[in-house]
Amino acid sequence: MAEIVQQRIEDRIPELEQLERVGLFTKKEVKSIIKRATALEYKLHRLIVNKEDFIAYIQYEINVLELIRKRRVHIHYQFKREEIEFPIIHRINSIFRRATKKWKDDVQLWLSCVAFCKKWATKGQISKVFSAMLAIHPDKPALWIMAAKSELEDRNSSESARHLFLRALRFHPNSKKVYQEYFRMELLHCEKLRKQKEELEKADMDLGEYEFSAEILSGKLAEVVYRDATEKIKEAEFVISLLKIAAIFDFTKELQDSILQDLQTNYTEDSLTWDFMAKRELEAPGAGEELLTAKGRASDINRREERCCQVYEEGLKSLNTEPMWTRYVTFCLERLKRKTNIQDLKEKRQRRLLGVLQRAHDSSLLKENYYKNWLEILLSSGDAEEAATVALSATQRYSQSVSVWSLSVQTLMQLGSGDMARLFHDALTHVNPKESLPLWQLQLQWSKANQSAEETEAIFKRGLLSPVTAVAMEMKELYLDWSYSAGGYKKARKTFASLQENRPLSKRFFTRMIEIEKEQETPKINNLRDYYERVLQEFGTTDDDLWLQYIQEEMGPLGRPENCGKIHWRAMKFLEGESVERFTSKYTLLQTGHLFGCRTQAWQHHAVGMLFFSWHRSELLEEDVGEERQHAGGQQPDHTLVDGYDVLQGMDAFLHGVGVDVVIDGGADAPHRPHGIHHRLHGGGDH
């Protein structure tokens, strides 16, 4: 390996000598390049090589090339390129070949090589790279298109590009994109030949040496591609895409007419054909005199839109389907949304759209999302009666759609018409219960504003009986909120007490009750403890935040900091999986005052509470096992907890970390059982 690396470094010597001799690099910089290149070469010759090492080496060499380019500009020296840049470029291509040979499936690596070849003017290498890449990745049409485009644009070889497209069609005979780009390439080639002929004719040169076939100049090759493509892909959308490509070129009038004739003859059963033919009427030229004034332009636009509608109407005679009506409505809606200062044109567009919507609805072929547009137009125009009729008709047409029922109910609520209670009952009867939550929410919103408290509470109670978990949970939360806003604290407490044992339950239901308790002038800590204990019974195994909030509550002005140790111990026993790690991390931040803005003084008291709790736990354990230890080995009992944790040492370290000094007074029977533990807060007196 060392010999190969040394040989590659020695191969660099001529170019490095030239760099130093012409003043592009200093001697120190040349030594640095040799040192860096040696390290990179050794990485490429390890037993197990990484792709990142090849990329790093390539990037380093490209950076050297960029630096050489900048320094050439700076010192105005443009010679010796064959002796300086060319060896570096050749070396980079060689590294790319080694990398792509090892990681053949990495398309991005291949494309990086292509990009390098394009940037550093090694276009002759591009064909070789694409050829090797396509031999490995023939299943990717985009790579074939890139290769053909490169041959046409970079190497100016339409013959090679055509050959690549034909090869691509062997692997992808039904690829729309390949056919589209092949069709475009033939038209570009034709346009290029036409321009060459024009230039030669302008220069009065003899055209005898050049052959310009009339068929090729008229686009016959592109027409052959079109015929072959449409025989294999019989879709109106594909034919229209080819027609749009042909429309880019000004010499394809006959080809466009031929494609248009095929579209009208063979694809009239597709709504897209009629949509395309209708919109073409908008591009028809108008009368020149009318276009001089705003009213004249508006009149011309209206005539064009009328001609478009005539095409749609013609299509509906033979294709009365939902997609056809959808395209017709979409066209009218787009025209209405276009801004205009001519009120008459705007009114005509609105009347036209309303007529089409009504006819589509009468045919039961109007999609449900267009009812919203229909209602918006009617409401904005002040036609409340018609809007109510359309809202009710929509629910009959799409009786199982939650979105349609919600839209209709909201419209009727806004208008204040109809038997809303009956309407909500019908809605909840027809829709899927799993999707009915928006309707329950709307019913409660309406009931709060229009019905008595007893009727609203009855709706809540019906919602609580829903078999759908999401509905029942949401109704509980809303019921608690409503009870507090309508009946005050006592009503909320009563509602909570009646629902806290009825599953399903949500965390939000309990936390909302905690918030209500805290909002009182004199919140009761015992009630808060009850709420926390109850919510932890449901979610204590997975929700670490609840335990932290409980600890914070005990640290507050109403709580007892000495209880925090017990809560912490319970949390470590209850929590499962990743929640234990999250709790430990957050608890540590909480101890140091970096979470929730806790004050140090409160945590010093909390630390003392944890010490006494842990010491009490150690005494209980020692009473159980101490006598057995003495009988078994005759040794003195220690103060070790479960898992081998020394309470005194551990708590001493913990308390010192939060600012508490611990002094252990052993008394007469030390070291078996200390008589007392005295603590002193840093920076303060005894407590």
Side-chain angles (χ1 to χ4, degrees):
M1 180 178 70
E3 293 81 1
I4 298 175
V5 173
Q6 188 62 30
Q7 179 62 44
R8 295 188 186 279
I9 297 301
E10 289 178 0
D11 292 341
R12 290 172 169 266
I13 293 178
E15 71 198 54
L16 294 175
E17 289 178 346
Q18 288 291 349
L19 285 170
E20 184 180 351
R21 188 179 66 80
V22 301
L24 290 173
F25 284 174
T26 64
K27 187 174 183 180
K28 183 178 180 181
E29 289 172 332
V30 169
K31 289 183 178 179
S32 176
I33 291 174
I34 293 175
K35 183 178 180 180
R36 178 64 175 156
T38 303
L40 292 169
E41 281 286 354
Y42 270 110
K43 288 184 178 180
L44 300 192
H45 289 83
R46 293 184 296 192
L47 290 177
I48 301 176
V49 294
N50 297 321
K51 182 167 53 177
E52 290 72 19
D53 295 334
F54 280 87
I55 295 174
Y57 197 179
I58 291 169
Q59 188 60 56
Y60 178 74
E61 294 287 3
I62 292 174
N63 292 342
V64 172
L65 277 176
E66 293 285 358
L67 184 58
I68 292 173
R69 173 185 286 180
K70 291 180 180 179
R71 291 192 176 180
R72 280 184 179 277
V73 174
H74 182 68
I75 66 175
H76 305 289
Y77 183 81
Q78 305 299 331
F79 305 103
K80 301 287 185 180
R81 293 186 180 275
E82 295 82 359
E83 299 177 21
I84 297 175
E85 278 93 344
F86 285 11
I88 299 175
I89 293 172
H90 177 73
R91 184 162 53 250
I92 293 173
N93 283 325
S94 176
I95 299 171
F96 265 123
R97 280 196 301 273
R98 292 162 63 188
T100 53
K101 186 176 180 180
K102 187 170 184 60
W103 293 281
K104 298 178 181 180
D105 294 334
D106 192 338
V107 176
Q108 189 58 46
L109 191 61
W110 288 99
L111 296 179
S112 298
C113 182
V114 171
F116 171 77
C117 293
K118 286 186 176 182
K119 182 175 181 180
W120 292 96
T122 56
K123 296 180 181 179
Q125 186 72 15
I126 295 179
S127 296
K128 297 179 182 178
V129 174
F130 271 120
S131 178
M133 178 172 58
L134 291 173
I136 299 169
H137 299 281
D139 58 326
K140 297 178 175 60
L143 298 182
W144 288 100
I145 294 171
M146 289 178 61
K149 184 179 179 182
S150 175
E151 291 293 332
L152 183 66
E153 296 178 356
D154 298 331
R155 301 194 64 197
N156 199 22
S157 175
S158 58
E159 190 64 31
S160 298
R162 185 180 297 111
H163 180 65
L164 282 170
F165 274 121
L166 291 173
R167 287 180 59 196
L169 289 173
R170 293 181 187 176
F171 290 96
H172 308 281
N174 298 315
S175 174
K176 298 178 185 178
K177 193 63 178 176
V178 172
Y179 269 116
Q180 288 167 352
E181 296 304 320
Y182 187 16
F183 185 67
R184 191 194 309 272
M185 187 277 294
E186 291 294 358
L187 291 175
L188 286 170
H189 175 59
C190 181
E191 183 182 45
K192 178 182 174 183
L193 292 179
R194 292 171 70 91
K195 288 182 178 179
Q196 287 180 354
K197 184 179 179 182
E198 290 177 4
E199 293 295 331
L200 292 174
E201 290 176 348
K202 288 180 181 178
D204 293 330
M205 294 182 62
D206 184 11
L207 301 180
E209 303 177 5
Y210 303 95
E211 295 182 2
F212 293 100
S213 171
E215 293 184 348
I216 294 178
L217 292 177
S218 62
K220 290 297 181 182
L221 286 177
E223 187 175 351
V224 171
V225 175
Y226 164 75
R227 296 297 177 192
D228 183 58
T230 52
E231 285 180 5
K232 295 180 179 178
I233 305 174
K234 300 181 181 296
E235 296 179 11
E237 182 181 7
F238 177 64
V239 175
I240 291 172
S241 68
L242 296 180
L243 179 58
K244 291 179 178 179
I245 293 173
I248 299 173
F249 303 90
D250 55 5
F251 58 87
T252 59
K253 182 66 171 61
E254 293 183 3
L255 180 59
Q256 291 182 56
D257 293 340
S258 175
I259 297 175
L260 199 59
Q261 184 64 34
D262 288 346
L263 190 64
Q264 293 174 324
T265 304
N266 302 322
Y267 300 96
T268 55
E269 297 300 317
D270 194 324
S271 61
L272 183 60
T273 300
W274 293 100
D275 185 58
F276 177 76
M277 298 300 299
K279 290 179 179 178
R280 278 176 62 87
E281 297 296 330
L282 291 174
E283 303 170 2
E289 296 180 358
E290 284 190 345
L291 302 179
L292 298 178
T293 63
K295 288 186 178 181
R297 288 192 294 271
S299 178
D300 179 64
I301 292 172
N302 182 59
R303 277 199 301 271
R304 295 186 187 189
E305 292 176 356
E306 289 292 344
R307 289 199 297 269
C308 293
C309 292
Q310 290 174 7
V311 177
Y312 280 115
E313 294 291 344
E314 185 68 25
L316 286 170
K317 292 178 181 179
S318 59
L319 194 66
N320 189 18
T321 61
E322 184 179 286
M324 188 67 202
W325 280 107
T326 298
R327 295 188 185 280
Y328 195 1
V329 172
T330 302
F331 169 76
C332 295
L333 192 60
E334 289 174 353
R335 301 309 298 178
L336 180 62
K337 289 180 179 179
R338 294 180 68 89
K339 294 181 179 180
T340 177
N341 295 325
I342 308 300
Q343 187 64 26
D344 183 57
L345 178 60
K346 187 174 182 180
E347 291 175 357
K348 287 180 179 179
R349 287 173 172 173
Q350 182 170 311
R351 286 197 300 270
R352 184 186 301 124
L353 174 59
L354 291 175
V356 173
L357 287 168
Q358 184 63 56
R359 291 170 56 205
H361 169 73
D362 294 340
S363 302
S364 299
L365 295 173
L366 182 62
K367 294 182 71 173
E368 62 178 89
N369 56 301
Y370 289 112
Y371 282 98
K372 181 179 180 180
N373 303 110
W374 194 357
L375 290 172
E376 287 175 351
I377 295 170
L378 292 174
L379 291 174
S380 63
S381 61
D383 194 346
E385 183 179 352
E386 183 64 21
T389 303
V390 171
L392 293 173
S393 300
T395 59
Q396 295 174 4
R397 172 74 175 86
Y398 295 98
S399 60
Q400 296 181 347
S401 172
V402 175
S403 59
V404 170
W405 276 106
S406 299
L407 176 63
S408 300
V409 167
Q410 287 174 328
T411 302
L412 294 173
M413 286 170 59
Q414 181 180 346
L415 297 174
S417 62
D419 185 356
M420 297 303 301
R422 178 66 180 174
L423 191 64
F424 278 116
H425 179 269
D426 292 343
L428 293 172
T429 303
H430 287 90
V431 302
N432 187 344
K434 294 182 180 179
E435 302 174 355
S436 63
L437 181 57
L439 294 175
W440 283 105
Q441 293 170 335
L442 284 173
Q443 186 175 15
L444 289 171
Q445 178 185 340
W446 169 79
S447 181
K448 291 175 186 177
N450 299 279
Q451 290 186 306
S452 63
E454 291 76 11
E455 291 173 313
T456 302
E457 189 167 11
I459 295 174
F460 276 117
K461 291 181 178 179
R462 288 201 304 271
L464 293 173
L465 300 176
S466 173
V468 182
T469 302
V471 174
M473 291 170 59
E474 180 72 12
M475 295 301 286
K476 283 183 182 178
E477 298 170 11
L478 296 175
Y479 190 13
L480 183 60
D481 276 329
W482 176 82
S483 298
Y484 182 54
S485 60
Y489 173 70
K490 290 184 178 180
K491 176 71 172 176
R493 282 266 299 170
K494 183 179 179 181
T495 301
F496 177 79
S498 65
L499 297 178
Q500 64 173 331
E501 299 299 335
N502 298 335
R503 289 180 174 79
L505 295 167
S506 66
K507 176 184 172 183
R508 171 63 185 160
F509 174 70
F510 293 99
T511 55
R512 178 57 185 144
M513 191 61 220
I514 293 172
E515 293 172 2
I516 291 173
E517 184 69 41
K518 290 182 179 180
E519 290 173 5
Q520 307 310 305
E521 293 184 4
T522 56
K524 297 179 180 179
I525 188 62
N526 288 333
N527 289 344
L528 289 173
R529 288 191 183 112
D530 291 342
Y531 303 149
Y532 274 113
E533 291 294 340
R534 184 66 187 87
V535 70
L536 288 171
Q537 288 179 14
E538 299 292 332
F539 306 100
T541 58
T542 56
D543 198 318
D544 50 287
D545 288 333
L546 286 173
W547 291 100
L548 292 169
Q549 292 168 16
Y550 194 6
I551 291 174
Q552 277 192 292
E553 209 65 58
E554 291 290 358
M555 290 168 51
L558 300 175
R560 299 177 60 190
E562 59 268 24
N563 291 342
C564 296
K566 298 178 183 179
I567 299 171
H568 176 271
W569 180 81
R570 289 173 56 202
M572 296 299 292
K573 295 299 180 183
F574 270 82
L575 290 170
E576 300 175 352
E578 296 180 357
S579 57
V580 180
E581 297 180 4
R582 290 196 303 269
F583 175 76
T584 304
S585 302
K586 294 178 182 178
Y587 187 74
T588 304
L589 293 174
L590 196 60
Q591 287 177 317
T592 56
H594 291 85
L595 192 66
F596 306 122
C598 288
R599 294 181 298 176
T600 306
Q601 188 73 12
W603 267 105
Q604 289 170 341
H605 286 289
H606 165 53
V608 176
M610 283 198 63
L611 173 63
F612 284 116
F613 168 70
S614 300
W615 174 251
H616 175 67
R617 181 176 173 226
S618 69
E619 287 206 351
L620 293 176
L621 290 172
E622 188 176 319
E623 288 176 3
D624 294 336
V625 300
E627 186 176 350
E628 294 182 8
R629 288 177 177 169
Q630 290 179 357
H631 286 296
Q635 297 181 358
Q636 298 171 346
D638 56 19
H639 301 288
T640 304
L641 293 177
V642 179
D643 301 328
Y645 183 73
D646 192 319
V647 176
L648 300 183
Q649 293 179 359
M651 291 309 299
D652 180 35
F654 167 72
L655 293 172
H656 184 74
V658 297
V660 180
D661 285 336
V662 180
V663 179
I664 302 176
D665 181 11
D669 56 347
H672 305 307
R673 189 175 303 280
H675 285 168
I677 299 178
H678 308 286
H679 69 280
R680 178 171 53 81
L681 303 179
H682 291 319
D686 293 339
H687 292 265

